[in-house]
Short mmCIF file of all heavy atoms in Angstrom, two decimals:
data_model
loop_
_atom_site.label_atom_id
_atom_site.label_comp_id
_atom_site.label_asym_id
_atom_site.label_seq_id
_atom_site.Cartn_x
_atom_site.Cartn_y
_atom_site.Cartn_z
N MET A 294 33.95 82.60 -20.56
CA MET A 294 33.19 82.68 -19.28
C MET A 294 31.82 83.12 -19.57
O MET A 294 30.98 82.95 -18.68
CB MET A 294 33.97 83.72 -18.41
CG MET A 294 35.26 83.08 -17.89
SD MET A 294 36.12 83.86 -16.51
CE MET A 294 35.94 85.59 -16.78
N ALA A 295 31.50 83.78 -20.70
CA ALA A 295 30.17 84.24 -20.96
C ALA A 295 29.30 83.14 -21.75
O ALA A 295 28.13 83.38 -22.04
CB ALA A 295 30.10 85.50 -21.68
N ASN A 296 30.00 82.04 -21.97
CA ASN A 296 29.37 80.87 -22.69
C ASN A 296 28.83 81.28 -24.03
O ASN A 296 27.64 81.08 -24.42
CB ASN A 296 28.18 80.34 -21.80
CG ASN A 296 27.80 78.89 -22.21
OD1 ASN A 296 28.58 78.25 -22.86
ND2 ASN A 296 26.62 78.55 -21.91
N VAL A 297 29.57 81.93 -24.84
CA VAL A 297 29.28 82.38 -26.16
C VAL A 297 29.79 81.52 -27.28
O VAL A 297 29.32 81.65 -28.48
CB VAL A 297 29.66 83.86 -26.44
CG1 VAL A 297 28.87 84.75 -25.54
CG2 VAL A 297 31.15 84.03 -26.36
N SER A 298 30.76 80.72 -27.06
CA SER A 298 31.48 79.96 -28.13
C SER A 298 30.50 79.05 -28.82
O SER A 298 30.75 78.82 -30.05
CB SER A 298 32.67 79.20 -27.56
OG SER A 298 32.23 78.30 -26.66
N GLU A 299 29.45 78.60 -28.18
CA GLU A 299 28.51 77.70 -28.87
C GLU A 299 27.79 78.29 -30.05
O GLU A 299 27.43 77.62 -30.94
CB GLU A 299 27.50 77.12 -27.91
CG GLU A 299 26.54 78.19 -27.45
CD GLU A 299 25.58 77.73 -26.44
OE1 GLU A 299 25.92 77.10 -25.40
OE2 GLU A 299 24.30 77.79 -26.70
N PHE A 300 27.66 79.60 -30.13
CA PHE A 300 27.04 80.22 -31.19
C PHE A 300 27.85 81.30 -31.94
O PHE A 300 27.59 81.56 -33.11
CB PHE A 300 25.68 80.83 -30.84
CG PHE A 300 25.74 82.02 -29.90
CD1 PHE A 300 25.88 83.30 -30.43
CD2 PHE A 300 25.70 81.81 -28.48
CE1 PHE A 300 25.94 84.42 -29.47
CE2 PHE A 300 25.82 82.82 -27.67
CZ PHE A 300 25.85 84.16 -28.11
N THR A 301 28.85 81.88 -31.32
CA THR A 301 29.63 82.82 -32.05
C THR A 301 30.53 82.17 -33.15
O THR A 301 30.91 82.91 -34.07
CB THR A 301 30.58 83.71 -31.09
OG1 THR A 301 31.34 82.75 -30.25
CG2 THR A 301 29.69 84.56 -30.24
N GLU A 302 30.85 80.97 -32.98
CA GLU A 302 31.69 80.28 -34.04
C GLU A 302 30.92 80.09 -35.29
O GLU A 302 31.39 79.96 -36.32
CB GLU A 302 32.18 78.93 -33.44
CG GLU A 302 33.17 79.13 -32.34
CD GLU A 302 33.59 77.81 -31.70
OE1 GLU A 302 32.98 76.72 -32.01
OE2 GLU A 302 34.45 77.84 -30.83
N THR A 303 29.54 80.10 -35.18
CA THR A 303 28.72 79.87 -36.42
C THR A 303 28.24 81.19 -37.06
O THR A 303 27.67 81.12 -38.08
CB THR A 303 27.51 79.11 -36.05
OG1 THR A 303 26.70 79.83 -35.06
CG2 THR A 303 27.88 77.69 -35.50
N ILE A 304 28.50 82.31 -36.40
CA ILE A 304 28.15 83.60 -37.09
C ILE A 304 29.41 84.27 -37.62
O ILE A 304 30.43 84.21 -37.00
CB ILE A 304 27.32 84.49 -36.11
CG1 ILE A 304 27.96 84.71 -34.79
CG2 ILE A 304 25.96 83.97 -35.90
CD1 ILE A 304 27.25 85.60 -33.74
N GLN A 305 29.22 84.99 -38.70
CA GLN A 305 30.33 85.44 -39.52
C GLN A 305 31.23 86.39 -38.75
O GLN A 305 32.45 86.27 -38.74
CB GLN A 305 29.85 86.17 -40.70
CG GLN A 305 30.87 86.59 -41.71
CD GLN A 305 30.35 87.16 -43.00
OE1 GLN A 305 29.16 87.43 -43.08
NE2 GLN A 305 31.22 87.44 -44.00
N GLN A 306 30.77 87.31 -37.97
CA GLN A 306 31.63 88.31 -37.30
C GLN A 306 31.88 87.96 -35.85
O GLN A 306 32.49 88.73 -35.12
CB GLN A 306 31.00 89.66 -37.40
CG GLN A 306 31.07 90.18 -38.88
CD GLN A 306 29.71 90.88 -39.24
OE1 GLN A 306 28.75 90.76 -38.49
NE2 GLN A 306 29.75 91.60 -40.39
N GLY A 307 31.46 86.78 -35.34
CA GLY A 307 31.80 86.47 -33.97
C GLY A 307 31.37 87.46 -32.95
O GLY A 307 30.24 87.98 -33.03
N LEU A 308 32.28 87.86 -32.04
CA LEU A 308 31.98 88.76 -30.99
C LEU A 308 31.84 90.15 -31.66
O LEU A 308 31.32 91.07 -30.90
CB LEU A 308 33.11 88.76 -29.99
CG LEU A 308 33.12 87.58 -29.04
CD1 LEU A 308 34.24 87.66 -28.07
CD2 LEU A 308 31.84 87.45 -28.22
N GLY A 309 32.27 90.37 -32.82
CA GLY A 309 32.03 91.70 -33.47
C GLY A 309 30.72 91.82 -34.14
O GLY A 309 30.50 92.87 -34.73
N THR A 310 29.83 90.89 -33.97
CA THR A 310 28.47 90.97 -34.52
C THR A 310 27.71 92.15 -34.00
O THR A 310 27.72 92.43 -32.79
CB THR A 310 27.70 89.61 -34.20
OG1 THR A 310 28.51 88.57 -34.78
CG2 THR A 310 26.33 89.64 -34.72
N ILE A 311 27.04 92.85 -34.93
CA ILE A 311 26.16 93.98 -34.48
C ILE A 311 24.99 93.34 -33.69
O ILE A 311 24.32 92.46 -34.30
CB ILE A 311 25.71 94.81 -35.73
CG1 ILE A 311 26.97 95.44 -36.36
CG2 ILE A 311 24.72 95.83 -35.30
CD1 ILE A 311 26.67 96.16 -37.62
N VAL A 312 24.69 93.87 -32.57
CA VAL A 312 23.63 93.23 -31.77
C VAL A 312 22.46 94.18 -31.61
O VAL A 312 21.49 93.95 -30.94
CB VAL A 312 24.11 92.74 -30.44
CG1 VAL A 312 25.07 91.66 -30.54
CG2 VAL A 312 24.70 93.86 -29.57
N GLY A 313 22.54 95.38 -32.12
CA GLY A 313 21.39 96.35 -32.05
C GLY A 313 20.22 95.98 -32.87
O GLY A 313 20.11 94.86 -33.42
N PRO A 314 19.31 96.99 -33.17
CA PRO A 314 18.09 96.71 -33.90
C PRO A 314 18.35 96.20 -35.31
O PRO A 314 17.64 95.52 -35.88
CB PRO A 314 17.37 98.15 -33.91
CG PRO A 314 18.05 98.88 -32.87
CD PRO A 314 19.40 98.33 -32.61
N ASN A 315 19.45 96.67 -35.93
CA ASN A 315 19.80 96.24 -37.23
C ASN A 315 20.79 95.07 -37.27
O ASN A 315 21.43 94.71 -38.28
CB ASN A 315 20.40 97.35 -38.06
CG ASN A 315 19.44 98.53 -38.19
OD1 ASN A 315 18.21 98.28 -38.44
ND2 ASN A 315 19.88 99.73 -38.05
N GLY A 316 20.97 94.42 -36.13
CA GLY A 316 21.95 93.39 -36.02
C GLY A 316 21.42 92.06 -36.47
O GLY A 316 20.35 91.84 -37.00
N ASN A 317 22.31 91.10 -36.28
CA ASN A 317 22.02 89.69 -36.71
C ASN A 317 20.84 89.15 -35.93
O ASN A 317 20.40 89.74 -34.96
CB ASN A 317 23.25 88.83 -36.33
CG ASN A 317 23.34 87.57 -37.13
OD1 ASN A 317 22.52 87.14 -37.82
ND2 ASN A 317 24.44 86.92 -36.92
N ARG A 318 20.34 87.99 -36.40
CA ARG A 318 19.10 87.40 -35.77
C ARG A 318 19.53 86.60 -34.58
O ARG A 318 19.58 85.35 -34.63
CB ARG A 318 18.40 86.59 -36.69
CG ARG A 318 17.79 87.35 -37.91
CD ARG A 318 17.14 86.44 -38.91
NE ARG A 318 16.68 87.24 -40.09
CZ ARG A 318 15.47 87.42 -40.39
NH1 ARG A 318 14.55 86.81 -39.78
NH2 ARG A 318 15.17 88.14 -41.45
N LEU A 319 19.87 87.28 -33.53
CA LEU A 319 20.25 86.69 -32.30
C LEU A 319 19.14 86.80 -31.20
O LEU A 319 18.34 87.75 -31.24
CB LEU A 319 21.53 87.35 -31.70
CG LEU A 319 22.73 87.32 -32.59
CD1 LEU A 319 23.82 88.20 -31.92
CD2 LEU A 319 23.23 85.85 -32.77
N SER A 320 19.01 85.87 -30.34
CA SER A 320 18.07 85.93 -29.27
C SER A 320 18.53 87.04 -28.31
O SER A 320 19.67 87.40 -28.32
CB SER A 320 17.94 84.65 -28.53
OG SER A 320 19.07 84.36 -27.73
N VAL A 321 17.60 87.52 -27.42
CA VAL A 321 17.94 88.52 -26.43
C VAL A 321 19.07 87.93 -25.54
O VAL A 321 20.01 88.69 -25.16
CB VAL A 321 16.70 88.91 -25.69
CG1 VAL A 321 17.13 89.93 -24.61
CG2 VAL A 321 15.69 89.52 -26.59
N GLY A 322 18.93 86.67 -25.11
CA GLY A 322 19.93 86.07 -24.30
C GLY A 322 21.27 85.99 -24.97
O GLY A 322 22.27 86.27 -24.30
N GLN A 323 21.34 85.66 -26.35
CA GLN A 323 22.60 85.66 -27.00
C GLN A 323 23.19 87.07 -27.03
O GLN A 323 24.39 87.15 -26.85
CB GLN A 323 22.44 85.12 -28.38
CG GLN A 323 22.10 83.62 -28.37
CD GLN A 323 21.73 83.11 -29.81
OE1 GLN A 323 21.11 83.81 -30.46
NE2 GLN A 323 22.21 81.89 -30.12
N LYS A 324 22.44 88.01 -27.25
CA LYS A 324 22.91 89.42 -27.26
C LYS A 324 23.52 89.79 -25.95
O LYS A 324 24.53 90.46 -25.80
CB LYS A 324 21.79 90.44 -27.66
CG LYS A 324 21.37 90.30 -29.07
CD LYS A 324 20.22 91.34 -29.33
CE LYS A 324 19.72 91.25 -30.79
NZ LYS A 324 18.69 92.12 -31.09
N GLN A 325 22.83 89.40 -24.84
CA GLN A 325 23.26 89.73 -23.50
C GLN A 325 24.65 88.98 -23.25
O GLN A 325 25.56 89.53 -22.62
CB GLN A 325 22.25 89.23 -22.51
CG GLN A 325 21.97 90.19 -21.53
CD GLN A 325 20.70 89.89 -20.69
OE1 GLN A 325 20.04 88.94 -20.88
NE2 GLN A 325 20.55 90.68 -19.65
N ARG A 326 24.77 87.78 -23.71
CA ARG A 326 25.97 87.02 -23.49
C ARG A 326 27.16 87.63 -24.29
O ARG A 326 28.32 87.65 -23.76
CB ARG A 326 25.81 85.54 -23.75
CG ARG A 326 24.91 84.88 -22.76
CD ARG A 326 24.31 83.51 -23.13
NE ARG A 326 25.06 82.62 -23.85
CZ ARG A 326 24.60 81.62 -24.53
NH1 ARG A 326 23.23 81.46 -24.66
NH2 ARG A 326 25.34 80.79 -25.11
N ILE A 327 26.88 88.11 -25.48
CA ILE A 327 27.96 88.75 -26.21
C ILE A 327 28.36 90.04 -25.49
O ILE A 327 29.52 90.36 -25.43
CB ILE A 327 27.45 89.18 -27.70
CG1 ILE A 327 27.45 87.88 -28.48
CG2 ILE A 327 28.38 90.20 -28.32
CD1 ILE A 327 26.93 87.99 -29.93
N ALA A 328 27.43 90.83 -24.93
CA ALA A 328 27.75 91.99 -24.23
C ALA A 328 28.64 91.70 -23.02
O ALA A 328 29.64 92.38 -22.78
CB ALA A 328 26.46 92.74 -23.74
N ILE A 329 28.30 90.63 -22.27
CA ILE A 329 29.10 90.25 -21.15
C ILE A 329 30.48 89.82 -21.65
O ILE A 329 31.50 90.19 -21.02
CB ILE A 329 28.43 89.01 -20.39
CG1 ILE A 329 27.07 89.51 -19.71
CG2 ILE A 329 29.36 88.43 -19.36
CD1 ILE A 329 26.26 88.40 -19.16
N ALA A 330 30.63 89.07 -22.71
CA ALA A 330 31.93 88.67 -23.19
C ALA A 330 32.77 89.87 -23.62
O ALA A 330 33.99 89.94 -23.33
CB ALA A 330 31.76 87.76 -24.38
N ARG A 331 32.12 90.86 -24.21
CA ARG A 331 32.91 92.04 -24.61
C ARG A 331 33.48 92.81 -23.43
O ARG A 331 34.51 93.30 -23.47
CB ARG A 331 31.96 92.95 -25.41
CG ARG A 331 31.68 92.39 -26.84
CD ARG A 331 30.68 93.37 -27.57
NE ARG A 331 30.43 92.87 -28.94
CZ ARG A 331 29.55 93.30 -29.74
NH1 ARG A 331 28.75 94.19 -29.27
NH2 ARG A 331 29.40 92.81 -30.91
N VAL A 332 32.69 92.81 -22.32
CA VAL A 332 33.13 93.50 -21.13
C VAL A 332 34.27 92.73 -20.55
O VAL A 332 35.36 93.31 -20.12
CB VAL A 332 31.97 93.54 -20.03
CG1 VAL A 332 32.51 93.97 -18.70
CG2 VAL A 332 30.95 94.58 -20.45
N LEU A 333 34.19 91.38 -20.46
CA LEU A 333 35.22 90.56 -19.95
C LEU A 333 36.55 90.63 -20.66
O LEU A 333 37.68 90.62 -20.11
CB LEU A 333 34.78 89.13 -19.85
CG LEU A 333 33.68 88.83 -18.90
CD1 LEU A 333 33.21 87.40 -19.00
CD2 LEU A 333 34.10 89.05 -17.46
N ILE A 334 36.51 90.83 -22.04
CA ILE A 334 37.65 90.99 -22.86
C ILE A 334 38.39 92.20 -22.51
O ILE A 334 39.69 92.28 -22.54
CB ILE A 334 37.25 90.92 -24.38
CG1 ILE A 334 36.82 89.52 -24.79
CG2 ILE A 334 38.39 91.44 -25.22
CD1 ILE A 334 36.23 89.46 -26.16
N ARG A 335 37.68 93.25 -22.21
CA ARG A 335 38.37 94.53 -21.89
C ARG A 335 38.91 94.66 -20.54
O ARG A 335 39.64 95.51 -20.17
CB ARG A 335 37.27 95.70 -22.01
CG ARG A 335 36.92 95.93 -23.44
CD ARG A 335 36.06 97.18 -23.55
NE ARG A 335 35.83 97.42 -25.01
CZ ARG A 335 34.71 97.15 -25.64
NH1 ARG A 335 33.72 96.58 -25.06
NH2 ARG A 335 34.64 97.46 -26.97
N ASN A 336 38.58 93.65 -19.58
CA ASN A 336 39.13 93.57 -18.18
C ASN A 336 39.05 94.87 -17.53
O ASN A 336 40.15 95.39 -16.98
CB ASN A 336 40.56 93.01 -18.35
CG ASN A 336 41.03 92.49 -17.00
OD1 ASN A 336 40.31 92.15 -16.21
ND2 ASN A 336 42.32 92.52 -16.86
N PRO A 337 37.91 95.40 -17.33
CA PRO A 337 37.77 96.70 -16.60
C PRO A 337 37.96 96.61 -15.14
O PRO A 337 37.84 95.48 -14.54
CB PRO A 337 36.32 97.15 -16.93
CG PRO A 337 35.60 95.85 -17.11
CD PRO A 337 36.61 94.89 -17.69
N LEU A 338 38.26 97.67 -14.53
CA LEU A 338 38.38 97.65 -12.97
C LEU A 338 36.97 97.49 -12.30
O LEU A 338 36.89 96.91 -11.27
CB LEU A 338 39.01 98.95 -12.56
CG LEU A 338 40.43 99.23 -12.93
CD1 LEU A 338 40.93 100.57 -12.48
CD2 LEU A 338 41.33 98.10 -12.44
N LEU A 339 36.04 98.00 -12.94
CA LEU A 339 34.61 97.93 -12.35
C LEU A 339 33.60 97.77 -13.54
O LEU A 339 33.69 98.32 -14.59
CB LEU A 339 34.26 99.27 -11.72
CG LEU A 339 32.94 99.43 -11.19
CD1 LEU A 339 32.72 98.49 -9.90
CD2 LEU A 339 32.69 100.96 -10.66
N VAL A 340 32.61 96.83 -13.24
CA VAL A 340 31.55 96.61 -14.20
C VAL A 340 30.25 96.78 -13.45
O VAL A 340 30.06 96.15 -12.33
CB VAL A 340 31.58 95.26 -14.81
CG1 VAL A 340 30.33 94.99 -15.65
CG2 VAL A 340 32.90 95.00 -15.51
N LEU A 341 29.34 97.63 -13.82
CA LEU A 341 28.07 97.81 -13.29
C LEU A 341 26.95 97.37 -14.23
O LEU A 341 26.97 97.87 -15.35
CB LEU A 341 27.82 99.34 -12.96
CG LEU A 341 26.58 99.68 -12.31
CD1 LEU A 341 26.42 99.03 -10.97
CD2 LEU A 341 26.44 101.22 -12.15
N MET A 342 26.23 96.30 -13.80
CA MET A 342 25.23 95.72 -14.70
C MET A 342 23.84 95.75 -13.98
O MET A 342 23.79 95.57 -12.74
CB MET A 342 25.58 94.32 -15.04
CG MET A 342 26.82 94.15 -15.77
SD MET A 342 27.05 92.29 -16.20
CE MET A 342 28.68 92.34 -16.79
N ASP A 343 22.86 95.90 -14.74
CA ASP A 343 21.51 95.80 -14.26
C ASP A 343 20.83 94.61 -14.84
O ASP A 343 20.59 94.57 -16.07
CB ASP A 343 20.71 97.08 -14.64
CG ASP A 343 19.30 97.04 -14.20
OD1 ASP A 343 19.02 96.44 -13.09
OD2 ASP A 343 18.44 97.70 -14.84
N GLU A 344 20.60 93.63 -13.99
CA GLU A 344 19.97 92.39 -14.49
C GLU A 344 20.74 91.77 -15.64
O GLU A 344 20.21 91.45 -16.69
CB GLU A 344 18.61 92.61 -14.87
CG GLU A 344 17.70 93.18 -13.78
CD GLU A 344 17.29 92.16 -12.74
OE1 GLU A 344 17.34 91.03 -13.00
OE2 GLU A 344 16.84 92.58 -11.67
N PRO A 345 21.99 91.46 -15.50
CA PRO A 345 22.78 90.85 -16.66
C PRO A 345 22.49 89.60 -17.15
O PRO A 345 22.81 89.14 -18.24
CB PRO A 345 24.26 90.95 -16.10
CG PRO A 345 24.11 90.83 -14.63
CD PRO A 345 22.84 91.53 -14.31
N LEU A 346 21.72 88.75 -16.30
CA LEU A 346 21.38 87.44 -16.65
C LEU A 346 19.84 87.28 -16.93
O LEU A 346 19.36 86.16 -16.96
CB LEU A 346 21.88 86.50 -15.60
CG LEU A 346 23.37 86.48 -15.38
CD1 LEU A 346 23.69 85.56 -14.19
CD2 LEU A 346 24.14 86.16 -16.66
N SER A 347 19.08 88.35 -16.94
CA SER A 347 17.73 88.30 -16.98
C SER A 347 17.10 87.55 -18.19
O SER A 347 16.06 86.89 -18.15
CB SER A 347 16.98 89.69 -16.95
OG SER A 347 17.45 90.47 -18.03
N ASN A 348 17.79 87.54 -19.35
CA ASN A 348 17.31 86.89 -20.55
C ASN A 348 18.16 85.74 -20.93
O ASN A 348 18.13 85.26 -22.13
CB ASN A 348 17.25 87.92 -21.68
CG ASN A 348 16.11 88.87 -21.40
OD1 ASN A 348 14.97 88.55 -21.26
ND2 ASN A 348 16.43 90.14 -21.48
N VAL A 349 19.00 85.28 -20.10
CA VAL A 349 19.91 84.15 -20.36
C VAL A 349 19.19 82.84 -19.88
O VAL A 349 18.58 82.80 -18.75
CB VAL A 349 21.21 84.38 -19.60
CG1 VAL A 349 22.17 83.15 -19.77
CG2 VAL A 349 21.90 85.58 -20.11
N ASP A 350 19.32 81.79 -20.70
CA ASP A 350 18.67 80.54 -20.22
C ASP A 350 19.41 80.00 -19.07
O ASP A 350 20.49 80.39 -18.66
CB ASP A 350 18.71 79.55 -21.38
CG ASP A 350 20.15 79.21 -21.83
OD1 ASP A 350 20.68 78.36 -21.15
OD2 ASP A 350 20.60 79.74 -22.76
N SER A 351 18.68 79.15 -18.29
CA SER A 351 19.20 78.61 -17.01
C SER A 351 20.57 77.90 -17.13
O SER A 351 21.40 78.04 -16.26
CB SER A 351 18.13 77.77 -16.29
OG SER A 351 17.77 76.62 -17.06
N LYS A 352 20.74 77.14 -18.14
CA LYS A 352 22.03 76.42 -18.43
C LYS A 352 23.14 77.42 -18.49
O LYS A 352 24.18 77.31 -17.87
CB LYS A 352 21.94 75.60 -19.58
CG LYS A 352 23.14 74.81 -19.93
CD LYS A 352 23.00 74.05 -21.17
CE LYS A 352 24.33 73.39 -21.61
NZ LYS A 352 24.26 72.68 -22.82
N SER A 353 22.94 78.48 -19.33
CA SER A 353 24.01 79.44 -19.52
C SER A 353 24.22 80.29 -18.24
O SER A 353 25.33 80.62 -17.90
CB SER A 353 23.64 80.45 -20.71
OG SER A 353 23.63 79.70 -21.91
N GLU A 354 23.16 80.58 -17.60
CA GLU A 354 23.21 81.30 -16.31
C GLU A 354 24.11 80.56 -15.30
O GLU A 354 24.94 81.19 -14.69
CB GLU A 354 21.87 81.58 -15.69
CG GLU A 354 21.91 82.32 -14.41
CD GLU A 354 20.57 82.63 -13.78
OE1 GLU A 354 19.46 82.33 -14.54
OE2 GLU A 354 20.42 83.12 -12.72
N GLY A 355 23.93 79.29 -15.17
CA GLY A 355 24.61 78.46 -14.27
C GLY A 355 26.10 78.49 -14.70
O GLY A 355 26.99 78.54 -13.77
N TYR A 356 26.35 78.35 -15.93
CA TYR A 356 27.70 78.35 -16.43
C TYR A 356 28.42 79.63 -16.14
O TYR A 356 29.66 79.65 -15.68
CB TYR A 356 27.73 78.06 -17.94
CG TYR A 356 29.04 77.91 -18.57
CD1 TYR A 356 29.80 76.73 -18.52
CD2 TYR A 356 29.74 79.01 -19.15
CE1 TYR A 356 31.07 76.59 -19.04
CE2 TYR A 356 30.99 78.93 -19.72
CZ TYR A 356 31.63 77.75 -19.63
OH TYR A 356 32.86 77.64 -20.16
N ILE A 357 27.75 80.77 -16.44
CA ILE A 357 28.35 82.07 -16.17
C ILE A 357 28.69 82.30 -14.69
O ILE A 357 29.70 82.71 -14.37
CB ILE A 357 27.41 83.19 -16.84
CG1 ILE A 357 27.43 83.03 -18.31
CG2 ILE A 357 27.92 84.53 -16.38
CD1 ILE A 357 26.23 83.88 -18.93
N LEU A 358 27.68 81.95 -13.85
CA LEU A 358 27.83 82.19 -12.47
C LEU A 358 28.96 81.29 -11.87
O LEU A 358 29.57 81.57 -10.86
CB LEU A 358 26.52 81.98 -11.67
CG LEU A 358 25.40 82.97 -11.93
CD1 LEU A 358 24.18 82.56 -11.32
CD2 LEU A 358 25.85 84.36 -11.58
N GLU A 359 29.12 80.14 -12.45
CA GLU A 359 30.09 79.19 -11.99
C GLU A 359 31.54 79.72 -12.10
O GLU A 359 32.47 79.51 -11.35
CB GLU A 359 30.04 77.88 -12.74
CG GLU A 359 30.92 76.77 -12.33
CD GLU A 359 30.72 75.55 -13.22
OE1 GLU A 359 29.61 74.95 -13.07
OE2 GLU A 359 31.53 75.24 -14.05
N LYS A 360 31.70 80.55 -13.22
CA LYS A 360 32.97 81.16 -13.57
C LYS A 360 33.23 82.37 -12.68
O LYS A 360 34.13 82.81 -12.38
CB LYS A 360 33.13 81.53 -15.01
CG LYS A 360 32.90 80.42 -15.95
CD LYS A 360 33.94 79.43 -15.84
CE LYS A 360 33.66 78.14 -16.59
NZ LYS A 360 34.50 77.06 -16.47
#
């Protein structure tokens, strides 16, 4: 639902990839999509996000919003 499979399959640790300052060479949008995927996996009762799609490309944004 976060449209991450297109690039997580090509990185060694997949969704477990470190996305901080010492993390893999991911774009800001890719880091954001990994964060969204991690939240969705946990299936929380409530998710509060501030601009969750601000750095996601328009194609991915449409895909995420569609789900």
Side-chain angles (χ1 to χ4, degrees):
M294 290 194 320
N296 197 25
V297 294
S298 62
E299 69 183 54
F300 66 90
T301 54
E302 293 172 353
T303 62
I304 51 180
Q305 189 174 6
Q306 291 137 346
L308 288 177
T310 298
I311 296 172
V312 295
N315 297 322
N317 200 356
R318 295 176 186 245
L319 299 172
S320 72
V321 177
Q323 289 173 323
K324 290 178 182 182
Q325 229 168 353
R326 288 162 44 199
I327 286 177
I329 292 169
R331 288 176 177 169
V332 168
L333 294 172
I334 288 170
R335 290 189 174 102
N336 196 24
L338 295 175
L339 176 68
V340 176
L341 180 61
M342 296 183 190
D343 179 29
E344 303 282 342
L346 302 174
S347 62
N348 291 305
V349 176
D350 62 84
S351 58
K352 179 182 174 186
S353 294
E354 180 180 353
Y356 183 84
I357 293 167
L358 292 174
E359 184 180 290
K360 302 295 173 189

